[in-house]
Amino acid sequence: MAKQTTDTLLMVRPANFGFNPETANNNAFQSNETGLTLAQITSRAIKEFDRMVQSLRAVGIDVIVFQDSHVPIKTDAVFPNNWFTTHDDGSLFLFPMFSPNRRLERDPEIWTQLAETYHLNLDRSMLSQETEGLYLEGTGSMILDRVNKIIYACRSVRTNEELVQVYAEKIGYKYVLWTGVDGSGLAIYHTNVIMALGESIAIICTEGMVVEEEKNRILQSLESTGHKIVNLSQAQILRFAGNMLEVRDQSGQSYMVMSDSAYNSLTTNQVDVIKKYNAILTFDLTTIEYFGGGSARCMMAEIFLPKK
């Protein structure tokens, strides 16, 4: 039976982390600060990254760390979940990316390294869609219910509905789509900033769902698959409360992984509900959140591949 959570993550240690102007137009979470050099920003991001990896490993979660190269410069390499997904049948899918400089993150050394340990079948078939201006950014764009074989996705420039359908057909999933906006009326750029899905819990923001029928369909789907729903506010989303990931350690203990900012935005009741299903791990990701517009979930690519 498929498992919703993994005990193995791949994370990319940044070499040149910083503000990416190519993605800023449709990522409302990004900010810029001219008072720091790229080297200073990168140094702070590396410290946050290393502390997070150390904490994950300390509780028994296996973390494969890949060191990003200095050339070419890839300011968002710390967010690998956007360009690939893995599955327990050995599939590794590569995804078409909105930002040209983010396409450089698809480093063959990463899947070559994985292939030394895991059975791996590489699927590049969707990459040709970049020339058509169609994009689908991995588990940034899509939340996968691996047990019930359902994709949840919020439409955006980076989450093309046709490509969701293509991917769903490839992996044998159904899909649930909706249109969502943030508190300013801007389209939600990635589904994983407003939704996280564990084995028994669904954390989601329904405030910005434009079509009532779509919202009802999502909630009905989550309830019918036995998920306890924790509904977030738009204000909590701005603190990256939706950008969480459920993982487990080698013994099977599950953890909800999030940033300090996300955790501090939660109500006491929300924390209590999460703790019924998971222990909670939090990290200071201030620099990565501020300049990159992504948080803890974006930094973790799940490895579900079968070992050789």
Side-chain angles (χ1 to χ4, degrees), residues 273-288:
V273 173
I274 293 171
K275 284 184 174 179
K276 287 181 180 179
Y277 303 96
N278 303 277
I280 295 177
L281 279 180
T282 75
F283 318 96
D284 176 13
L285 299 175
T286 303
T287 305
I288 290 171

Side-chain angles (χ1 to χ4, degrees), residues 17-33:
F17 175 80
F19 180 80
N20 183 352
E22 288 186 5
T23 57
N25 285 342
N26 52 38
N27 181 347
F29 294 81
Q30 282 180 250
S31 301
N32 200 7
E33 169 57 65

Side-chain angles (χ1 to χ4, degrees), residues 6-24:
T6 182
D7 58 12
T8 305
L9 304 169
L10 184 142
M11 298 177 64
V12 177
R13 192 172 189 264
N16 293 286
F17 175 80
F19 180 80
N20 183 352
E22 288 186 5
T23 57

Side-chain angles (χ1 to χ4, degrees), residues 203-207 230-234 236-237 241-242 266 270:
I203 297 168
I204 190 168
C205 176
T206 61
E207 270 186 32
V230 175
N231 215 324
L232 301 174
S233 68
Q234 295 276 24
Q236 290 174 314
I237 293 303
L266 299 175
Q270 288 170 332

Side-chain angles (χ1 to χ4, degrees), residues 196-215:
L197 190 72
E199 291 180 345
S200 303
I201 189 169
I203 297 168
I204 190 168
C205 176
T206 61
E207 270 186 32
M209 292 182 179
V210 175
V211 182
E212 190 72 17
E213 182 182 351
E214 291 180 341
K215 180 173 75 172

Side-chain angles (χ1 to χ4, degrees), residues 210-282:
V210 175
V211 182
E212 190 72 17
E213 182 182 351
E214 291 180 341
K215 180 173 75 172
N216 292 337
R217 189 182 308 128
I218 294 156
L219 294 176
Q220 183 180 22
S221 178
L222 293 171
E223 289 169 354
S224 69
T225 51
H227 289 90
K228 173 66 176 178
I229 297 172
V230 175
N231 215 324
L232 301 174
S233 68
Q234 295 276 24
Q236 290 174 314
I237 293 303
L238 291 175
R239 300 281 299 278
F240 296 95
N243 201 239
M244 306 177 184
L245 180 66
E246 185 182 272
V247 298
R248 56 188 171 86
D249 64 21
Q250 302 296 323
S251 68
Q253 167 67 50
S254 62
Y255 295 84
M256 191 64 78
V257 180
M258 67 190 79
S259 69
D260 287 349
S261 176
Y263 179 78
N264 290 333
S265 76
L266 299 175
T267 66
T268 301
N269 181 63
Q270 288 170 332
V271 170
D272 289 343
V273 173
I274 293 171
K275 284 184 174 179
K276 287 181 180 179
Y277 303 96
N278 303 277
I280 295 177
L281 279 180
T282 75

